Amino acid sequence: MDETLAKETESAESPPQKGTVTQRAIERIKAMIGEGRLEPGQRLPTERDLAAQLGISRSSMREAIRALTVLGVLEARHGSGIYVTQLEAGDLLETFGVVADLSRGPRLVELLEVRRILESTATALAAARITPDQLAEVEEHLAAMNATDDPEEIIAHDLAFHRAIAMAAGNETMAAILEGLSSRTFRARVWRGYQEEGAFERTRREHAAIHRALVAHDPEAARAAAAAHVGEVEEWLRSQLAT
Amino acid sequence: MDETLAKETESAESPPQKGTVTQRAIERIKAMIGEGRLEPGQRLPTERDLAAQLGISRSSMREAIRALTVLGVLEARHGSGIYVTQLEAGDLLETFGVVADLSRGPRLVELLEVRRILESTATALAAARITPDQLAEVEEHLAAMNATDDPEEIIAHDLAFHRAIAMAAGNETMAAILEGLSSRTFRARVWRGYQEEGAFERTRREHAAIHRALVAHDPEAARAAAAAHVGEVEEWLRSQLAT
DNA sequence: CCAGCCATGTGGTCCGACCACTACGGCTGG
DNA sequence: CCAGCCGTAGTGGTCGGACCACATGGCTGG
């Protein structure tokens, strides 16, 4: 019954001891992926095997896996196994939405400032590169947004409108960041108050301006229109804070 | 064998059933913070109490806590308790570094493109707003970087140089994002090859140009210098990919 | 030959025990 | 009386095992 000594014999480990066991496991797996020993889409060993390999309990290994799961690095399929995600921008930047959801006050303005910078550049790039097909999708959402007065639907198409433009800019990473910066709950929180001031008409005009610039393939006009569009919301939010 | 009915009797729960128990716990805690029921810095109930409150096991609750910990929302202090972080930009955007570390190939270029856009704007803002104290810190790192030839130290001061500028721009969120975009391992990976081409001299000149623009409080010059600085690395990396 | 069942293996959940560390308060010695 | 030590209760961290829910693929029976 004296299994106490069994622990001492394991002293031949490489990393002496730093941080919690789970934290080390997270780093180990991250390193495996970083070094290319685990390819995107590849299936990992079972939780039980992984735990055995790293010499930790299954509980700790599960915490490590859960952590990497919320980070968008791993994906667990019940009954099937654990897989490495495609490690695409969308996978890894999903957590960005959490930042937007939990930010308040001054930080919301900072977030919008970042969005203004990125969105204006993305829209300018889109104006130069957008294809007829992509332009058609943008127009589709623009029309759908003007055809309804259900706030939910308006927000959804507003989001899709900007997403389509970001995609046309040809930088998936930027598109994913902007997606997070405009996450559903974030928009809902801001729009509630913003729309009460009859800002919908102004929004419609601003969207039309952006659309015109895209059709004309005029990057500078697109940049200005997009910056003004986000800037409007930004200024309104700034004024709200002063209250 | 008919233990099937035992499940049906539990129908008196608030959330019917969606996703895993742990996932629900994560959302619940996130919601508590979002609704303001948990203030930054506040201490949470013990793991055991929290698990009991949500009607789940301690194991599942621990996974939820671990998930929120890696997201920078919670902080667990061994022997003391679990606390909500200050929810500042730095806390929540720490995970951004993971994206940079795990990205490869074309995505690295996209990442640098985002950085170029943000860094150039941040540097322009800094040129307009920087105070003598902040400028002194920038110069300190600039001098330290030129005074040594230890690659590790150079990278460290290079990072600090840009961080100081981002801080001077007055947008902590942007600074935190840029910090993640220039994470240690990310820089190390790129620099290894970049410096081999004797790019250090060019880097030094570019930093000097940025510094001059800051001293002159010339936003446009600062924007151009910063964009060129990041653009150089970007172009080099792009050429590497073509190989 | 094919549909449907079932054995197997996987992640998901729970339990209970113990360890490592912190914090706090009482106790001791000056 | 006070300072400092020390014990103790309480917390997060780790472990091992058991069982459940689900996915898969082979097998069986038609």
Side-chain angles (χ1 to χ4, degrees):
Chain A
M1 293 308 140
D2 52 345
E3 67 289 333
T4 58
L5 59 104
K7 197 99 147 278
E8 226 51 35
T9 59
E10 302 285 356
S11 56
E13 295 158 3
S14 5
Q17 276 214 19
K18 46 176 179 180
T20 69
V21 184
T22 304
Q23 198 63 38
R24 266 180 286 164
I26 294 176
E27 298 301 332
R28 288 280 295 269
I29 297 180
K30 247 184 8 189
M32 278 193 234
I33 297 176
E35 296 165 8
R37 282 195 286 166
L38 289 177
E39 294 292 321
Q42 182 177 345
R43 181 174 177 234
L44 276 67
T46 71
E47 293 179 343
R48 295 163 173 88
D49 288 348
L50 270 176
Q53 282 180 28
L54 301 195
I56 66 179
S57 73
R58 195 189 160 202
S59 314
S60 302
M61 177 54 72
R62 274 190 60 78
E63 285 187 29
I65 293 172
R66 173 72 65 177
L68 290 170
T69 293
V70 300
L71 288 181
V73 176
L74 297 183
E75 180 189 356
R77 300 180 203 160
H78 191 167
S80 174
I82 308 167
Y83 301 80
V84 181
T85 67
Q86 290 308 121
L87 297 179
E88 288 176 358
D91 300 321
L92 298 173
L93 288 167
E94 208 166 319
T95 70
F96 209 87
V98 181
V99 183
D101 290 344
L102 265 47
S103 294
R104 315 201 144 348
R107 189 140 42 256
L108 275 183
V109 179
E110 291 190 354
L111 238 24
L112 268 177
E113 194 174 340
V114 171
R115 188 187 158 207
R116 174 165 50 83
I117 296 167
L118 289 178
E119 184 101 39
S120 58
T121 304
T123 306
L125 287 173
R129 304 174 176 173
I130 198 165
T131 68
D133 280 357
Q134 292 171 327
L135 188 58
E137 190 188 346
V138 170
E139 288 166 346
E140 181 184 326
H141 291 298
L142 186 62
M145 203 172 67
N146 290 336
T148 179
D149 54 356
D150 173 24
E152 280 300 321
E153 207 169 339
I154 290 180
I155 294 182
H157 282 293
D158 184 2
L159 233 80
F161 173 79
H162 288 290
R163 175 169 42 229
I165 294 176
M167 281 301 185
N171 185 324
E172 286 188 34
T173 302
M174 205 186 315
I177 294 178
L178 285 173
E179 180 87 17
L181 246 31
S182 317
S183 79
R184 196 156 234 80
T185 70
F186 173 74
R187 294 297 289 255
R189 270 195 300 158
V190 174
W191 268 77
R192 182 179 312 194
Y194 189 53
Q195 276 200 336
E196 282 176 2
E197 306 191 358
F200 177 59
E201 253 319 305
R202 180 165 54 195
T203 298
R204 177 179 296 186
R205 266 185 285 119
E206 289 166 355
H207 277 192
I210 292 175
H211 175 244
R212 273 196 305 275
L214 291 180
V215 172
H217 292 288
D218 185 339
E220 281 313 310
R223 159 170 271 118
H229 178 47
V230 180
E232 281 292 336
V233 186
E234 190 182 333
E235 273 311 315
W236 173 83
L237 195 63
R238 214 187 295 268
S239 74
Q240 287 297 97
L241 275 185
T243 309
Chain B
M1 328 243 176
D2 53 347
E3 70 287 334
T4 59
L5 60 104
K7 196 100 148 278
E8 229 49 35
T9 58
E10 302 285 357
S11 57
E13 295 160 2
S14 4
Q17 275 213 21
K18 45 177 178 178
T20 69
V21 189
T22 304
Q23 200 61 39
R24 267 181 284 164
I26 294 177
E27 298 302 332
R28 289 280 296 269
I29 297 181
K30 248 184 8 190
M32 280 193 230
I33 298 176
E35 296 165 7
R37 284 195 286 166
L38 288 177
E39 294 292 321
Q42 182 177 342
R43 180 174 178 232
L44 276 69
T46 71
E47 293 179 344
R48 294 162 174 88
D49 289 348
L50 271 177
Q53 283 180 28
L54 301 195
I56 66 179
S57 74
R58 196 190 159 201
S59 313
S60 302
M61 178 54 73
R62 274 190 60 78
E63 286 187 27
I65 293 172
R66 172 73 63 179
L68 291 169
T69 294
V70 300
L71 289 181
V73 176
L74 297 183
E75 180 190 355
R77 300 180 203 160
H78 192 168
S80 173
I82 307 167
Y83 302 80
V84 182
T85 66
Q86 291 307 123
L87 296 179
E88 288 176 358
D91 300 321
L92 298 175
L93 289 168
E94 206 165 321
T95 72
F96 209 86
V98 180
V99 183
D101 290 345
L102 265 46
S103 295
R104 324 198 137 346
R107 190 137 46 257
L108 275 183
V109 179
E110 292 190 355
L111 237 25
L112 268 177
E113 193 173 343
V114 172
R115 189 187 157 206
R116 174 165 50 83
I117 296 167
L118 290 178
E119 185 100 39
S120 59
T121 305
T123 307
L125 286 173
R129 304 174 177 172
I130 197 166
T131 67
D133 279 357
Q134 292 171 327
L135 189 58
E137 189 188 347
V138 170
E139 289 167 344
E140 181 183 326
H141 292 298
L142 186 61
M145 202 172 67
N146 290 335
T148 179
D149 53 358
D150 173 24
E152 279 300 321
E153 206 169 339
I154 290 180
I155 293 182
H157 282 293
D158 184 1
L159 234 83
F161 173 79
H162 289 289
R163 173 168 45 228
I165 294 176
M167 282 299 184
N171 185 325
E172 286 188 35
T173 302
M174 206 186 315
I177 293 178
L178 285 173
E179 180 86 16
L181 246 31
S182 317
S183 80
R184 197 157 236 79
T185 71
F186 173 74
R187 295 297 289 255
R189 267 195 302 159
V190 175
W191 268 78
R192 183 178 314 192
Y194 189 54
Q195 275 201 337
E196 281 175 2
E197 307 191 357
F200 177 58
E201 254 319 305
R202 179 165 55 197
T203 298
R204 178 180 296 186
R205 267 185 283 117
E206 289 166 355
H207 277 193
I210 292 174
H211 175 245
R212 272 197 305 275
L214 291 180
V215 172
H217 292 288
D218 184 340
E220 281 313 311
R223 158 171 270 117
H229 179 47
V230 180
E232 280 291 336
V233 185
E234 190 182 333
E235 274 310 316
W236 173 82
L237 195 63
R238 214 186 296 268
S239 74
Q240 286 296 98
L241 275 185
T243 308

